[in-house]
Structure formats: structure tokens, C-alpha cells
Amino acid sequence: MNSSIKSPTPAELRAFMAVAEHRSFRRAADLLGVTPSALSHVVRGLEEMLSARLLHRTTRSVSVTEAGEQLILRVAPLLAQLEGALDDFAGANGRRTGSLRINGNEAAISLLLAWAVPSFMQRHPDVQLDLVAEGRLIDIVEQGFDAGVRLGEAVPKDMVAIALEAEMRFLAIASPAYLRRHPPPGTPDDLARHACIRQRLPSGKRYRWEFRKRRQEVAIDVPGTLTLDHSQLMVEAAIAGLGIAYVPELYARPALQQGQLVTVLEDWCPRIPGLQLYFPRSRHMPPNLRAFIDVLRAGRSPAS
């Protein structure tokens, strides 16, 4: 046997598979923490080692060759077993390191901070946890996140999802002082005679308030002279008596409990699927994401 023949390392194989999964050297390099040129050099060396072209490259795109697909089919299960074994060993010895990136809106990140994040950080103090709160929906794979948190209805269909909340509601809220000056609305149509605190979405469009009662469903571009782009600010504006706001119950609950706000049109505010953690249906779940999911399933969850 010729002992000088070199075999690919797991790191080289992971590098190729990252490029194959994301169809981009730049995106894969960002995720792996290397430069695109260094990653290209690794993949080219792997191709030379195997005497096979694994990727088709153009200035605008990257695609996997038939040989590359065959390599993925053969190697992916082996890498998954190796990573699982190393992950179990690291977890058992308390040496979990690396990073975990999660994207979500502010309500979602607040929910995680309330219970899951403290538990995770206590169990795995050496993991770098990067939480990004933003209103706009993004492609978490393209932007280099391990997972996202959104309302169930906004989770892409090709993702795996885990419920953080069984259900939630948007509530129409106003201050007692405002309602002393203006009779409470009895139906959504009555909002036309009220000052409504409107919401600007990250896309720049105004949010249409959605109501449902029995089989009736309406979506209204409500009137109003004040528009805000954050639910917490809308709650504060409602407390100040500036009009009726329509926000997730999570934001309104403290002020409702303190009597600063009351609900209107409550029988028109149905429950909808709550927040869900979601991630790609991948052969290789990042070990730190698996550990975070273990915390979600074992700890106190509103959905449990």
C-alpha cells in the first residue's frame, strides 16, 4: 500500500459541503470564518486529491456536479456520525464551545431572554450566543444564522419548527382616559371614527389590522395621524391616551395588568399560532443548536 496517498480530512469535506449547501463561496466562508479565497483553495485541493470536479463555478453561481452529489451522499452520514460522537463527548465533559446565532423580532428575542437563554448560558457558559432582533423577515441560511424565531404563520414551509408558544393574540388596546372621551368601538368598522395608532412594517408598508369573529374576517387600514414602527412604542402611545393600538399581547400584558390599558374588540381578536424556533432541514444540525433545543424541550416553556 502506498502510504503517501493523502486522504481528505473532515474539515476539508465540511468545507466542500458548506459551499455545496449554500451554493456560494462567500456565504460558506462567512459561516466557516475563513476568506472566500482560502475556501476556494481548500475545495480545489480536495478536487485534485480526488481527481474529480465537485463544483461548477461561474462568476455568478456555484452548482454541484454529479461527482459532487455522489460524494455528499456517501460522506454526509459519516460526518454526521462523527459530529454526533464529538458533540456527545464534548457535552458529557462540559466543553461545548463555538457560537450560536439566532434571528427574530424583538418580542421573540424577549421571550428567549426570559427563560431559555439564562438556562442555556448556565449550562454552556463557553458558547458565544449571538441574538439579533429585527422586524424584517430574512433568509436565515443566506444571512448565516443557525435558527430564527417568528410567528408560526411566518415560518417558511421548508423549515423544521419547534413551538415556543402554543398560541398568541394581537389585542386592540386603549387607555381608560381615551375611552372616557371616545365611546369604545363595538365592531372593527367603528374604528373609522377613532384615532388609531398605526404601525409601519419593516417593508415600509402600513400594517392592516386583522380581525376575525366566527366566519367573518376583515383587514383594515385604520385611520390615524400617528404611525410608529415598534410595538412597545405603540403601547406607550396608547398609555398616553393618543388612541387605540393593535399589538401582540406580550407587549400589552404589563400595562393591562396595571390598569393603564384596557382591551377593546376583544371578541374580534382570535388566537393564532404562536412563536416558533425554526431552522433548516439539514443533515448536520449544529451541535450548539441541538443543545439550545434540548434546553427548550427540558425547560419552562409557555407551550408546555
Side-chain angles (χ1 to χ4, degrees):
M1 178 181 291
N2 187 349
S3 59
S4 65
I5 297 176
K6 185 181 177 184
S7 298
T9 66
E12 290 168 330
L13 293 170
R14 289 192 196 99
F16 156 66
M17 293 179 68
V19 178
E21 179 177 356
H22 297 284
R23 299 295 196 269
S24 166
F25 277 92
R26 178 184 59 78
R27 294 174 195 161
D30 288 343
L31 292 174
L32 295 173
V34 299
T35 65
S37 59
L39 184 56
S40 178
H41 178 75
V42 169
V43 173
R44 196 172 299 280
L46 180 62
E47 290 177 322
E48 292 175 356
M49 194 184 311
L50 299 176
S51 299
R53 179 174 291 278
L54 304 175
L55 298 170
H56 292 302
R57 306 167 178 82
T58 70
T59 55
R60 293 187 177 183
S61 66
V62 175
S63 60
V64 184
T65 66
E66 184 177 352
E69 293 285 3
Q70 290 298 317
L71 180 63
I72 291 172
L73 287 174
R74 296 291 298 274
V75 168
L78 301 177
L79 281 179
Q81 291 179 18
L82 174 61
E83 290 172 353
L86 293 175
D87 179 43
D88 291 341
F89 179 80
N93 288 275
R95 294 204 306 267
R96 196 178 302 283
T97 59
S99 65
L100 176 64
R101 302 190 70 221
I102 300 176
N103 179 283
N105 58 32
E106 190 157 344
I109 300 302
S110 295
L111 181 66
L112 294 181
L113 287 172
W115 63 280
V117 168
S119 178
F120 179 83
M121 294 182 71
Q122 184 176 15
R123 295 188 191 188
H124 309 291
D126 296 327
V127 174
Q128 300 293 315
L129 193 55
D130 185 2
L131 306 178
V132 176
E134 58 181 325
R136 67 190 181 98
L137 291 171
I138 66 162
D139 183 330
I140 59 170
V141 175
E142 180 179 276
Q143 298 298 319
F145 289 92
D146 297 295
V149 186
R150 298 288 169 180
L151 290 176
E153 59 189 21
V155 174
K157 300 301 182 184
D158 61 343
M159 294 284 175
V160 179
I162 296 173
L164 301 179
E165 297 179 309
E167 293 179 317
M168 67 160 291
R169 286 192 303 173
F170 276 74
L171 294 177
I173 53 174
S175 70
Y178 174 85
L179 294 176
R180 284 194 292 269
R181 302 192 307 269
H182 306 276
T187 69
D189 290 339
D190 294 339
L191 292 171
R193 296 187 291 275
H194 280 268
C196 295
I197 302 165
R198 301 191 288 184
Q199 182 179 14
R200 180 79 60 188
L201 297 172
S203 64
K205 297 180 179 179
R206 277 201 306 268
Y207 175 61
R208 296 170 67 89
W209 295 11
E210 299 174 342
F211 298 98
R212 186 172 75 241
K213 184 177 181 180
R214 298 186 181 92
R215 295 185 180 181
Q216 288 182 272
E217 295 186 16
V218 292
I220 304 174
D221 186 6
V222 294
T225 57
L226 176 62
T227 300
L228 298 169
D229 65 351
H230 193 287
S231 294
Q232 185 57 47
L233 294 177
M234 296 172 68
V235 169
E236 293 174 13
I239 292 173
L242 302 181
I244 299 175
Y246 190 62
V247 299
E249 185 175 3
L250 175 68
Y251 286 100
R253 190 178 298 131
L256 290 171
Q257 292 172 344
Q258 296 169 21
Q260 296 173 294
L261 295 171
V262 296
T263 59
V264 297
L265 299 174
E266 188 165 358
D267 56 342
W268 283 88
C269 298
R271 295 192 174 276
I272 60 175
L275 291 166
Q276 298 180 352
L277 179 88
Y278 67 96
F279 48 91
R281 193 181 301 277
S282 171
R283 301 182 183 90
H284 312 292
M285 180 185 291
N288 289 332
L289 176 57
R290 185 184 300 115
F292 193 81
I293 291 171
D294 288 342
V295 168
L296 294 179
R297 288 173 169 161
R300 183 195 66 80
S301 168
S304 62

